[in-house]
Amino acid sequence: MSIQLTDKVSEAARRDILDLEKKISTFQSGDIADEAFRKFRLTRGVYGQRQPGVQMIRIKLPHGRITADQLIRIADLSDKYATGNLHATTRQDIQLHFVKLADSPQLWADLEDAGITLKEACGNTVRNVTGSARAGVDPSEPFDITPYAYSIFDYFLRNPICQDMGRKFKISLSSSEKDSAYGYMHDVGLVARIQDGQRGFKVMLGGGLGAQPFSAQTAFEFLEEERVIPFIEGVIRVFDRYGERQKRHKARMKYLLNDIGLEELLRRIDEETPAIKNKAFLVDSSQFSVSDQYAERPEASNYQLTIGPEQSQNSKLSTWFKTNVFEQKQAGWYAVQLRVLLGDMHSDTARALAQIVKQYAADDIRVTVNQGYLLRYIRPENLTAVFEALDALGLAEPGFDTTADITTCPGTDTCNLAISSSYGITRALEQMMHDEFPDLVFNDDIKIKISGCMNGCGQHSVANIGYHGSSLKNGAYVLPALQVLLGGGFNGKGEGLIADKVIKIPAKRGPHSLRFLLRDFEANAFDGEYYSDYYARQGKNYFYQLLKPLADLKTLVDSDYIDWDHTEQYVTEVGIGECASVLIDLVATTLTEASEKLGWAREALTESRWADAIYHAYNVFITGARAALMSRDVPTNTQHGIVSDFDKTFLGEPDFHQAEGDFKTLVFSINKQEPSETFARQFIAQAEAFLQAVQAYRETQIELEGIPELQELTQAQDS
């Protein structure tokens, strides 16, 4: 069945979609290695689930912004191709689960028709750019970061410098000093600031979560707005060049920064300046704003919002007003925040929500970093009607982004890497707090976050109270467990902190642990003391001793061996991997990859995209050199290392006619030259000649040594 593409689908997206369809066919016929196909589909938002034969589709929504019609389109496609569920993520994406691989190209085409992409939602690319959901209406913001977030997303989408990095790369923009987009845990974190009347950003580098979380380091207290995108390009170029590529657990930018230091990183970024496409990039701040159409309120809208007798009698409505509603910086307009359990919304609910937006709010919905939604530009006289409409959908639960509103990843429900159930323990904890600590819907200090494993999709390392899935052995048996982390998130000074691992307990004792922690805080914290400050004051050992009785395996009961939301005995089982072992000629596969990159370079050249053409040609050199080194069984890692090793290994080889350092000088001329047409044509011609020489060398090697043995290739899935 051929893919149906409408005129609304751009040429770039059209080609991506048709290429995905072609690659799926090639893969299913056995003509492409599993690992090569996996790498390809991940950068197109198609991610293998725990359950074999089905995919998770990650929909990339820049800073979580979506229109009512786009929400309807996603809901309709979930019904058609998935399960009718829309899962909001901590990166402000929406995910659909249980999609057949063969359906993914048409699903993508139908999304592009509505202005939505899957491109680079997964894989070793620049992931979704996140931003403060309140941007544009935030009373404390110096300016709206919305156009900046979208411009960064657009600038790096399909950009050659970030198509095949050693690992993923994450960027966030916060609208105020509150850093509500958690810039301190990102590869690049930006916080809006104004200095001497000029817009700009505080810039943080090298944050990250996972098994070894790092807080970002401050590169600039203030960087002028027009320098931000060029600076990020420089960062990505350096990460691409010097970042780890073999040891995946060390391949994030935080490790590169840790290894070479901030001063050296900034020096290398500065070295890239000549090659950068735009030395300055001024964002049109009038783009992507809906505020203009609401600049003047209708005469009838001089309504004063009060909580009258009718609202006071409805305690849920009264609480909802206090916890889920705030007045925007545009006086007289209100925003409404939706608390969504587990981040999951049924397609029928999503369509009904879209109608509420069309009737009462601006056509500008934001998915929030805590898996909820934010509606904006609602008149005060309509708030009660909005509450009633949302309540009928189960979307008016009070306590948005409070202690009672837990952030969680899907865990073992769908993820390959998860060790224990995230959804089950989240439900249990929220129910316990609802029953025993009802006032927590007013507490916006303590944040609770849960992940199904140490990788941190639920962001447990930046929670005041965090949990991640694990397991424990008790003799010959294994039981589901939770690692408890404390002291992360923000303290009273507004500083972002990484949580400490305190103790591991059986998963079924999770509610007891939270009960102990909350009661202890109630009893011993100072008035107004932030939880992370309280944790720091008491110290890690205090909390270890507090929770230690829950770690006693001598008191286990039968139910402790059964995970939340399950009835069968627990078994430690990471789901079927993204790829099984495959037998391939690695050198031939790598040379094919280099040839594809040469084709991209030529195409960019014909379209007068000089900087893109040059970077594609650079990747031809890198990939070709990697293939040559592999043919000699020389291990490869960073791009810089590949160039150095090629210079040494093939010094004086007649196939390449090079003196010591020649190859390095040639390849790294990329950052010594302006991206001109002359240099682009010259560099591509040199890359093509080099690739031909490597191919000829390989053919001669096979003639002399025979056809190489196929090699087994395995790799853990991307996260």
Side-chain angles (χ1 to χ4, degrees), residues 423-453:
Y423 276 9
I425 183 60
T426 298
R427 291 190 188 96
L429 295 182
E430 289 205 2
Q431 186 62 52
M432 186 274 291
M433 288 189 287
H434 179 273
D435 295 341
E436 301 179 30
F437 300 89
D439 287 345
L440 288 178
V441 295
F442 299 107
N443 186 319
D444 58 4
D445 164 30
I446 303 174
K447 300 291 195 300
I448 303 172
K449 300 178 185 289
I450 299 174
S451 301
C453 71

Side-chain angles (χ1 to χ4, degrees), residues 333-347:
W333 291 96
Y334 287 81
V336 168
Q337 300 166 119
L338 279 58
R339 179 180 167 189
V340 180
L341 177 64
L342 310 174
D344 286 344
M345 184 182 294
H346 191 273
S347 57

